[in-house]
Each structure stands twice: as C-alpha cells, then as structure tokens.
Amino acid sequence: MAETDKSDKRNFARFFVELGEKDGFDWMTPMRSYFLYNFLRLTVGDRILVPSPGQFSIFEVTGVPEALTQDDVNNADLGFAVTVKPIAEHLPRNNYLGSALTSKLKYRGTNLVLSTAEVDRLIETLNTKTTITDFSATKDAVVEQVQKYIIDKLTPDQLELLVKNYLENLGADKTYIPSKNGQRNDNDPVADIDVMGQFNNLGIAVYVQVKHHKGAESHAGFTHAIAQLAASRYTGIQEYDSLIPVKWLVTTAKVDSEWIEDVAPQNIRVIQNDEFATLLVESGLTINADTFTNTPE
C-alpha cells in the first residue's frame, strides 16, 4: 500500500514482480499488479461498476482501501477491502448498457478502469430512467431537422404537396389540391381548402388549410384560417361532398394554446409548430423529388 502511494503503475509492477520473486510467488505477474494497483488507488467518491450475470450494480467508494487480516476474511483469499455505498443495484444490462460498456464488462481480469464520462452518462441515464431502447432524444433531433427543412427549404406550394403526400401515406383513396381560383359552390366567399383527402372506408374527407409561416402565428392569421375551414362545406366534387368532413389547420408557426382551446368546439384539429414534422417522422414518410410533383386530377 505504501508503494502504491508513491509509484506509478509501471514502477509498481516492477516492485510487485520483484517482491514475488523474493518471496517465491510466481503468480505475482505484471498483469496482476495492475489489478491490485487499480484497487489500491480508489478514493472517496469513485464509482465502481460491478457486473453479474445479465445484470450490473453501481457503488460509490466511501472510504480508503485497507489491508485485511486473516481474522477479517475467515481464510478467504482476500487481502484488501474498501467500503462502498450502493447507487443502483441489480439492473438489467439490456436496458441500460450500450454496446461499448457491455463489451467491457466481458473483461475477464479482476478490474478495468472506465472513463469518468462514460460512468457519468450511465448514472444520468439511470436517474432519468431512460433505457437504451428509448429513442426519444434521437426522434427529437430528427424532428428538429425535418422542421428546419420545411421552414428553410420548402415553398408554401411544396408544403401543400407534402401534406397531400402525408394523407396518401395514411391511406387516402384519393387526394386533391383544389385550384386557387376555383369556385366553392354554396360556400361563404371566405371558404378555402388547400388539400383534400378522401378516405372511403372511414367515410370521411379530410380538408386541410396549410400555412407555411415562421415564428409565432398572428391572431388575425389564425382566426382567418379557422374561418376559411369553418366556411368550407361543399367542394363541388360529389365524391368528397358525400363524405363527412374532417378539418385540419396545418401551420408551421407556433399557435397560442388559448386560441386552440377557443376553437375546439368547432372540431378543427390544429397541427402547429413542429407537430406536422413529428407526424412525418412517426409515419416513416419518405420524402423525395416525387413528393413535390402534383399529378392533376
């Protein structure tokens, strides 16, 4: 123990082997010296990851290594001990250990020095109860990139085509982007629909108002979009008008939650901010050049 305090690992190995040769212990090899050196260098606050079949536990060192006497160990083959307290015990490896740590725990030596950052990440994962099969962080990052792509790269017309393609991906029997100058029979003049989707088996037609906006949606813009949807009753297309209308407002801007609550009685679904990007990611929609090609009816 005194030699450990004053030596680095290489010098300690030399001392360890020489001591073995002097006392006739041929098992005192450089490799075994490294294991002992690691153990005797433990200090208060260090963490120890202990593997067991299919599980692992984490302990925090609360004392300093000490030498044991024969009475301490009841003739067991132990020479040193250190006091610890449990941080987490008997956790399933499959839930929390990634491939790198799983491989390291297969190490057949007495101990192995892990990086502090690696163990810190593991403890943070345990504290938040985030298993390695939880892809929420990855999903959030993907949604952020899709939203950025929509805002920065797409035109309003291309966003409408993306919404149209999304409805097709949901299983719409037919989708349609009405002409901007088309007449809506028997509708209020303010009525307007950007994208329509026909779902025959469900007996519904989805009518969508699409707004390619940045930042926060203005109250005037929001109420106008809702009015456009609310006033849309007839499309002039028999296939759609024979189905029950389901109305969506899709805007890439952020909408005040109180405004959404206010229009809830009108049964208009508001998909705002990055919610449409989230829907795209969750549906596994493939976006390519064909997505932005509108095939006329």
Side-chain angles (χ1 to χ4, degrees), residues 51 99-108 112-115 118:
S99 59
L101 272 177
T102 297
S103 296
K104 290 174 182 176
L105 291 191
K106 295 177 181 177
Y107 186 65
R108 300 188 67 83
L112 193 64
V113 178
L114 304 174
S115 74
E118 202 169 26

Side-chain angles (χ1 to χ4, degrees), residues 109-128:
T110 304
N111 55 44
L112 193 64
V113 178
L114 304 174
S115 74
T116 300
E118 202 169 26
V119 178
D120 285 343
R121 282 194 299 270
L122 176 57
I123 291 175
E124 182 180 357
T125 296
L126 297 175
N127 289 337
T128 59

Side-chain angles (χ1 to χ4, degrees), residues 2 4 7 77 95 114 125 170 172 175 179 188 197 199 205 223 277:
T4 303
S7 297
D77 186 18
N95 285 0
L114 304 174
T125 296
L170 289 182
T175 55
S179 168
D188 187 288
F199 294 81
T223 54

Side-chain angles (χ1 to χ4, degrees), residues 95-250:
N95 285 0
Y96 294 102
L97 297 183
S99 59
L101 272 177
T102 297
S103 296
K104 290 174 182 176
L105 291 191
K106 295 177 181 177
Y107 186 65
R108 300 188 67 83
T110 304
N111 55 44
L112 193 64
V113 178
L114 304 174
S115 74
T116 300
E118 202 169 26
V119 178
D120 285 343
R121 282 194 299 270
L122 176 57
I123 291 175
E124 182 180 357
T125 296
L126 297 175
N127 289 337
T128 59
K129 295 182 172 58
T130 306
T131 66
I132 59 174
T133 54
D134 184 346
F135 291 95
S136 57
T138 302
K139 175 187 168 185
D140 291 344
V142 174
V143 167
E144 182 179 350
Q145 289 301 309
V146 173
Q147 176 73 351
K148 187 177 188 316
Y149 165 78
I150 292 173
I151 294 292
D152 295 344
K153 302 293 185 181
L154 299 188
T155 65
D157 288 345
Q158 288 173 328
L159 178 56
E160 290 181 8
L161 288 169
L162 188 56
V163 172
K164 177 178 183 289
N165 196 242
Y166 174 68
L167 294 178
E168 292 168 358
N169 198 56
L170 289 182
D173 298 282
K174 188 180 292 186
T175 55
Y176 179 54
I177 294 182
S179 168
K180 300 303 179 187
N181 298 318
Q183 297 296 318
R184 307 290 191 269
N185 297 337
D186 301 320
N187 282 336
D188 187 288
V190 75
D192 187 39
I193 304 170
D194 292 322
V195 183
M196 298 157 56
Q198 180 182 333
F199 294 81
N200 293 332
N201 288 340
L202 297 176
I204 65 172
V206 178
Y207 299 165
V208 191
Q209 251 290 317
V210 182
K211 300 297 182 185
H212 187 274
H213 293 170
K214 294 183 180 180
E217 188 71 70
S218 69
H219 188 259
F222 175 74
T223 54
H224 182 64
I226 294 297
Q228 289 176 306
L229 279 168
S232 298
R233 291 181 291 275
Y234 305 105
T235 66
I237 304 172
Q238 185 176 0
E239 295 170 274
Y240 286 93
D241 289 342
S242 63
L243 300 172
I244 297 173
V246 174
K247 299 179 180 181
W248 294 359
L249 168 60
V250 175

Side-chain angles (χ1 to χ4, degrees), residues 29-45:
T29 63
M31 180 61 73
R32 287 194 170 94
S33 79
Y34 299 150
F35 301 147
L36 179 58
Y37 185 83
N38 290 340
F39 189 89
L40 295 179
R41 296 286 291 181
L42 288 170
T43 59
V44 174

